[in-house]
């Protein structure tokens, strides 16, 4: 026969039993809540990881895009720099050409005077004439030649040279006095000149045939 509990003990026992049940309920609810929180935490971590991955991909794409822009800008800079260097070289070359040819028109105007000097000197050098080339005139003649030479004027060799239509202008053809002068310039009627290695005036010549 079971032993009956005293009223006080029975009340205490019921109280403890109720407390135990309450603890069980609390523990179950706590575990359920923890499970939900763990699941939410895991989902949040997955979301954060996905966002981080997407952000990393976006950053990598942006870096590649910026690298492409930098490379394109560098290419444009190099092309512009090369074009500017070419422009400077062309500009310098054009200035040099301009400086070289600046006196061209003036020298062309002086060539007939130079021709007269040459003819006068040639006539004076001929012992069969009474022409006289004074020392003062000879000094002026030399100074004129030197001044024009300093500007780039150079006399063209034409007499007894093979006729070249690029350099010579044939005034007439005459029978060649010797076989080796055929097709060559027998005489120069008017001298040809270069100015800074460019043809300033073609030589007028008599060609042997």
């Amino acid at each position: 026969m079971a032993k009956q509990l005293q009223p006080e003990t029975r009340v205490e026992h019921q109280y403890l039993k109720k407390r135990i049940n309450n603890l069980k309920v609390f523990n179950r609810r706590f575990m359920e809540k923890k499970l939900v929180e763990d699941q939410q935490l895991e989902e949040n971590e997955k979301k954060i990881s996905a966002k981080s991955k997407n952000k990393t991909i976006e950053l990598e794409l942006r870096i590649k895009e910026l690298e492409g822009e930098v490379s394109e800008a560098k290419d444009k800079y190099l092309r512009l720099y090369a074009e500017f260097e070419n422009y400077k070289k062309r500009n310098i070359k054009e200035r040099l050409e301009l400086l070289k040819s600046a006196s061209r028109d003036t020298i062309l105007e002086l060539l007939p005077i130079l021709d007269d000097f040459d003819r006068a000197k040639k006539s004076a050098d001929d012992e069969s004439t009474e022409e006289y080339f004074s020392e003062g005139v000879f000094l002026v003649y030399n100074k004129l030649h030197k001044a024009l030479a300093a500007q780039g004027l150079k006399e063209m060799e034409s007499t007894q040279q093979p006729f070249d239509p690029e350099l010579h202008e044939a005034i007439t053809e005459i029978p060649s006095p010797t076989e080796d002068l055929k097709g060559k310039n027998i005489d120069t009627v008017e001298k040809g000149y270069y100015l800074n290695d460019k043809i300033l005036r073609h030589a007028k010549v008599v060609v042997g045939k």
Side-chain angles (χ1 to χ4, degrees):
M1 188 174 178
K3 186 179 180 180
Q4 291 185 351
L5 297 175
Q6 294 296 325
E8 296 84 357
T9 304
R10 189 168 52 251
V11 171
E12 184 178 352
H13 179 72
Q14 290 176 348
Y15 173 75
L16 290 173
K17 187 177 181 180
K18 186 176 179 181
R19 286 290 304 268
I20 290 170
N21 288 334
N22 289 339
L23 286 172
K24 288 182 179 179
V25 171
F26 175 80
N27 185 57
R28 185 178 65 256
R29 289 178 179 176
F30 174 79
M31 294 302 294
E32 289 175 351
K33 183 179 179 182
K34 187 175 184 307
L35 180 62
V36 171
E37 289 178 349
D38 288 345
Q39 289 176 347
Q40 289 179 347
L41 181 61
E42 185 177 354
E43 290 177 0
N44 289 337
E45 287 179 350
K46 288 181 180 179
K47 289 179 181 179
I48 292 171
S49 178
K51 287 181 180 180
S52 177
K53 187 176 181 180
N54 292 334
K55 192 67 176 179
T56 301
I57 294 172
E58 289 177 4
L59 288 173
E60 289 176 351
L61 291 174
R62 182 56 180 161
I63 288 171
K64 288 182 179 179
E65 184 181 348
L66 291 173
E67 286 176 346
E69 291 176 1
V70 169
S71 178
E72 184 179 354
K74 183 179 179 181
D75 289 340
K76 287 182 179 179
Y77 167 76
L78 291 175
R79 284 198 298 271
L80 286 173
Y81 180 78
E83 289 176 5
F84 180 67
E85 286 297 310
N86 290 333
Y87 165 76
K88 285 201 302 183
K89 289 178 182 178
R90 285 197 306 269
N91 195 31
I92 292 171
K93 185 178 179 181
E94 288 172 0
R95 287 186 179 184
L96 289 175
E97 291 293 332
L98 183 62
L99 288 173
K100 286 180 180 179
S101 61
S103 57
R104 184 177 183 277
D105 293 340
T106 302
I107 293 175
L108 275 173
E109 292 291 332
L110 291 174
L111 287 185
I113 301 173
L114 196 61
D115 292 336
D116 291 339
F117 265 116
D118 287 335
R119 280 191 287 267
K121 186 176 182 302
K122 185 178 180 180
S123 180
D125 290 341
D126 187 352
E127 295 180 357
S128 64
T129 66
E130 296 181 357
E131 293 284 342
Y132 176 68
F133 212 60
S134 68
E135 186 177 347
V137 175
F138 186 71
L139 182 63
V140 173
Y141 172 82
N142 282 337
K143 282 188 176 181
L144 179 60
H145 267 277
K146 288 181 180 179
L148 293 176
Q151 296 298 317
L153 187 69
K154 181 181 177 182
E155 187 177 310
M156 185 186 296
E157 293 184 10
S158 53
T159 302
Q160 296 187 353
Q161 297 295 316
F163 176 76
D164 184 350
E166 295 292 328
L167 303 174
H168 312 130
E169 180 183 344
I171 301 300
T172 185
E173 287 184 328
I174 61 173
S176 177
T178 59
E179 190 67 24
D180 63 316
L181 287 177
K182 283 186 176 180
K184 292 186 177 181
N185 305 321
I186 296 174
D187 189 22
T188 299
V189 178
E190 185 177 82
K191 290 180 181 180
Y193 287 95
Y194 297 102
L195 181 61
N196 297 313
D197 298 324
K198 291 185 178 181
I199 297 174
L200 179 65
R201 188 177 75 179
H202 293 77
K204 294 181 180 179
V205 297
V206 177
V207 183
K209 63 177 180 177

